Structure formats: C-alpha cells, structure tokens
Amino acid sequence: MHNNPYLVVLAFLCTLSQAPIAAHSADENKLEVFSWWTSGGEAAALDALFGVYKQQDPGVEIINAAVAGGGGFAARPLLQTRLAGGNPPDTWQSHPGWELLGQYVEPGYCEPITDLYKTNGWDTAFPKELVVNLMTKDRKIYAVLAGIHRGNVLWYNTKLLEKNGIKVGDRMTFDQFFAACDKLKATGIAALGVGDSQIWASAQLFENTLLGVVGPKGWTDLFDGTMQWDDPKVKEAIKLFGKMQDYINRDHSALSWDQAIKALMEGKVAFSSMGDWADGEFLKANLKEKEDFGWVSHPGTSGSFVIIGDGFALAKGAPHKEAALAWLKSVGSKEAQEAFNRLKGSIPARTDVDRSKFDAYHKWSMDSFAKDKPVASCVHGEAAPAAFQQALNDAVTAFLGDKNVDNFANALVEAARELPSAK
Ligand code: GAL
C-alpha cells in the first residue's frame, strides 16, 4: 500500500498529536525571516524575495536572521533551540516532508496557512501532490514553497572538459563519468569538486549515486522498507561512491559547497555533483550557460528529479503575525516566484509562471520536473525523519575514514529499524 514515500510520510504524521504553543508580543512593523541563505547566490535571491515583499508592505522593517552554513547545517539546530525556548522567528525556511511536518508541525511550532491557499487561488497554482503529501497534516497546510531545487545535477566546467577532449551528452553513465575522471586525473586535475566541510555535501554525492544505481522505484522501496539498506545494489552504490573519492580535490574537507563550486569556475576541478543552488553561484559570478559551465543529470539519474523544496512556515505565536502572513502571501505570488528563482537556480513551485523569463538551465529543470519521476531527498530532510538523515551523515563520515562498505550498509540497516515504515 505504501509504495509512495510521500504517502508513508503522510500516513505516519497523521497519527501524531499536536502540542501546545508559546505566546508572544513584540514591536510592530517588523518581520523576522529565518533562513540559511548566505552564499553569494542564495543571498541575492533572498534579497529579491525581500524586494517583492517590501513593495507590498513598505513600512515593515525586515530582520534578516539568516545563519550561514549550507543545507541549514548550523541554522536548523539554532532554530530548534529558539522554537523550544518559545522564541520563534516569525517565519522560517523549511523543506517539506519530514522536516516541516515532523520537526515543526508535530511539536506544535507552526500555525496552519490553509486560508492563504483558499484566498489566493494557490490550490490550483501549486502542484497538488507536493502540497497534499508533503505540507499538509490533518487537512491543514503549513507552508508555501518559494521554489523547487533539483538535487541530482552534475555541473561541469565546459572549457576544462573541452581542453581535455571530454564530451558530455544529454545523459551520463557511471562508466562515462569514470572514463572522464581518468582522463582528467592523468593530467593532474582533480576531476570531482567537493566541499564537505559540512558533511551533507558528501552525503548528497552519495544520495545522488545511490539513486543512480537503485533508480526511483528502488528509492521508494528503500524508504518504505521493501528494499533493505544492505541490499547488493546499495553496496554497489557505496562502492561507486568510494571510487569517486580517488578523483576528489584534496582540500575538500576545508571547503564549503559554494567554495567547491568556485573551484569549478576557476578550473581547479572539472565536475561537481550538487543541487541547483550551484546555478545561483554561476549566475552571481556572471558566468555564461554552456560556454562557461554545463550540466547533466548525476550519472544514472536521468529521468528522476530529486526534489528539494524550499518552503516558508508561519510560527505559532509569531511576534509579527500580520507581517508574517503578508510575507507568506508575497512568497507565493507569481512576481516573487519569478524574481527569486531566476537567481536561486530553483524553479518556481507555481506552475503558472512566465517561462520565457527563465534561462536555459531553468527551462531544462522545468521540463525535467514536468516529465521525470519525483524523488524526495533524504539529505535535505524530506524523505525520512531527522534521526535517519543524521545517521546517513554519520555513516558517510565514517566511510570516508574507513572505506568499509559493510560498515556503511550496516549502519543504515540499523538506522532504518527506527523508520516508521519498519514499525
Ligand atoms: C538546501 C536548500 C537550498 C540551498 C542549499 C545550500 O537545503 O534547500 O535552498 O540553500 O541547502 O545551502
């Protein structure tokens, strides 16, 4: 019955209860927006979102409470502390799925925003599947998506590949990828750029590689318990991930994800497997699509779209509730979705935007979203509870040290015992 990971998420969360609330008072005419958008591209896109809001609500002073660190590695624990202490920002960035419903809605930190959907025609403007399966609990909706990132993208430095006689088609196999890596390695170039000073970036490389081996159906099977985490296919993916380590830049653990993208721009590395927030960095640096940088689905994952949605939620007891509601309304507007996503690398979550306003990468991603199989990201908090997300990060860290495939798989088997689908 639970073949769809979204339904598994939903079914479990429907059984959870709601907890009480913290009350608040504060100054008028302010709005505190919490996120982790601080890299060059991220900050520019957030600014565009602020710009649209300010046009609608000019008297309100925005407090930008962004906390640096890709993937929300530093922001999310801080947010938890604030929420648990009854000191919420008015609104905060959240991935849909487990992160939103399990970490924020279930403990009672969020106010539903269902009315905004009714009064703004959002019921039809946003993809129903996503809203119903990943952002709704007890028929109440808890977030509005600012945009949707594609996680399984392999970016490359066009000129560096050309110089080395490497051609990339519209899809790539693992064999083609490793053949390119060998060519580059022979000339002393680190083929694959990683910035895993925060381990999620390597976990994402593994997530993409795992999807490349098991496919979208296998992904669903893993998260609903039909396939085990020590399945030969998972081990094959771990081995491929291990093999990739031979081609990675030496300074990977000293770099952040965006520094690795910068290394790609500078021709120090050729490829980087990263969600399309990387596109935001290329745009910020004024690089030209295809001429300077190119992209293809991460090896083996053509036909799948790893969804990494960026939503905003409303705090229960928001200190500036009216401004927060106006912010959420603005985030969901066509104007904001067009302005923000053009800079962020993601595609608008609304399906009624003006496609002609977007560049080639965005159009490619929009087409992929329309026809490919959606897959929920585990690394970005959607597909599984936080404990499993953490266990995956820990298993990746351990593997980078001991390179032990069985240990990696067994750690995931252990962690999966705690998944709701296993109970
Ligand atoms: C993701 C988030 C993206 C991007 C990325 C890197 O979790 O959804 O918007 O910010 O982290 O920081």
Side-chain angles (χ1 to χ4, degrees):
M1 179 179 118
H2 288 149
N3 277 342
N4 182 325
Y6 306 148
L7 297 181
V8 174
V9 168
L10 184 68
F12 178 67
L13 289 163
C14 286
T15 66
L16 300 173
S17 63
Q18 282 185 315
I21 319 128
H24 255 280
S25 71
D27 312 333
E28 298 298 311
N29 290 332
K30 284 194 179 157
L31 169 73
E32 189 182 7
V33 180
F34 186 97
S35 77
W36 57 86
W37 289 336
T38 59
S39 78
E42 290 174 336
L46 179 60
D47 226 42
L49 217 46
F50 288 160
V52 175
Y53 170 74
K54 277 186 204 148
Q55 281 167 24
Q56 296 168 7
D57 239 352
V60 173
E61 182 199 333
I62 297 176
I63 303 162
N64 180 359
V67 175
F73 222 68
R76 285 181 286 107
L78 203 94
L79 177 61
Q80 280 297 342
T81 306
R82 288 190 59 177
L83 296 176
N87 174 31
D90 296 301
T91 178
W92 62 86
Q93 176 191 355
S94 172
H95 297 120
W98 274 98
E99 189 174 311
L100 173 69
L101 299 174
Q103 293 175 45
Y104 306 133
V105 174
E106 192 273 329
Y109 296 140
C110 293
E111 188 88 49
I113 58 165
T114 321
D115 285 350
L116 283 177
Y117 278 74
K118 293 206 177 99
T119 50
N120 294 293
W122 291 357
D123 284 330
T124 49
F126 288 94
K128 212 178 180 100
E129 268 231 325
L130 285 186
V131 175
V132 172
N133 296 333
L134 297 178
M135 303 197 287
T136 303
K137 179 174 181 251
D138 297 337
R139 319 193 87 193
K140 295 183 186 128
I141 308 174
Y142 284 92
V144 57
L145 287 176
I148 300 173
H149 280 293
R150 192 181 195 272
N152 50 321
V153 188
L154 185 71
W155 303 93
Y156 55 85
N157 180 314
T158 312
K159 289 180 181 133
L160 189 57
L161 291 197
E162 266 167 19
K163 207 171 119 194
N164 287 280
I166 296 163
K167 284 208 174 68
V168 177
D170 60 3
R171 55 179 57 204
M172 196 185 252
T173 64
F174 283 110
D175 284 348
Q176 287 167 333
F177 175 67
F178 285 117
C181 288
D182 282 331
K183 243 184 185 177
L184 291 157
K185 195 176 179 178
T187 61
I189 298 164
L192 184 57
V194 173
D196 64 356
S197 58
Q198 291 168 328
I199 196 63
W200 68 269
S202 263
Q204 183 154 7
L205 177 63
F206 172 68
E207 172 169 283
N208 286 340
T209 303
L210 178 62
L211 176 65
V213 176
V214 302
K217 166 79 167 70
W219 193 263
T220 306
D221 290 349
L222 277 171
F223 285 95
D224 73 10
T226 311
M227 191 194 290
Q228 301 310 302
W229 286 90
D230 56 358
D231 188 278
K233 282 190 181 167
V234 177
K235 291 192 177 175
E236 189 189 329
I238 298 173
K239 282 182 197 147
L240 289 171
F241 175 63
K243 189 169 172 189
M244 287 173 185
Q245 305 307 315
D246 296 343
Y247 304 96
I248 282 172
N249 49 310
R250 284 180 169 209
D251 58 352
H252 64 96
S253 63
L255 303 185
S256 57
W257 71 269
D258 49 316
Q259 288 173 325
I261 293 300
K262 190 160 181 271
L264 187 154
M265 296 187 208
E266 290 167 350
K268 291 184 184 147
V269 300
F271 295 104
S272 194
S273 182
M274 189 40 68
D276 55 17
W277 40 91
D279 188 47
E281 301 305 306
F282 295 129
L283 293 168
K284 177 79 184 152
N286 284 320
L287 259 58
K288 293 212 167 49
E289 292 185 318
K290 301 192 178 159
E291 211 172 291
D292 298 319
F293 71 97
W295 62 89
V296 65
S297 289
H298 181 86
T301 68
S302 162
S304 296
F305 188 117
V306 177
I307 292 180
I308 298 163
D310 282 320
F312 278 92
L314 172 64
K316 195 163 264 182
H320 315 93
K321 186 171 177 186
E322 225 172 286
L325 282 168
W327 159 259
L328 295 168
K329 185 178 167 187
S330 168
V331 166
S333 70
K334 223 191 248 191
E335 195 187 348
Q337 303 251 320
E338 288 175 354
F340 171 76
N341 289 292
R342 268 207 306 252
L343 303 175
K344 186 72 166 66
S346 40
I347 57 171
R350 287 184 75 119
T351 49
D352 57 353
V353 294
D354 182 353
R355 183 184 160 96
S356 71
K357 289 187 175 158
F358 290 87
D359 60 21
Y361 173 72
H362 284 85
K363 286 184 181 132
W364 179 86
S365 182
M366 284 175 191
D367 290 344
S368 164
F369 187 73
K371 67 177 193 311
D372 292 341
K373 291 260 182 321
V375 172
S377 167
C378 176
V379 172
H380 295 273
E382 294 168 345
F388 189 84
Q389 179 188 12
Q390 184 59 46
L392 175 61
N393 282 335
D394 293 347
V396 169
T397 303
F399 179 76
L400 293 183
D402 68 14
K403 302 277 160 61
N404 187 315
V405 174
D406 289 337
N407 284 353
F408 192 147
N410 292 340
L412 296 177
V413 169
E414 269 310 306
R417 286 191 216 288
E418 300 305 316
L419 286 174
S421 55
K423 293 185 172 163

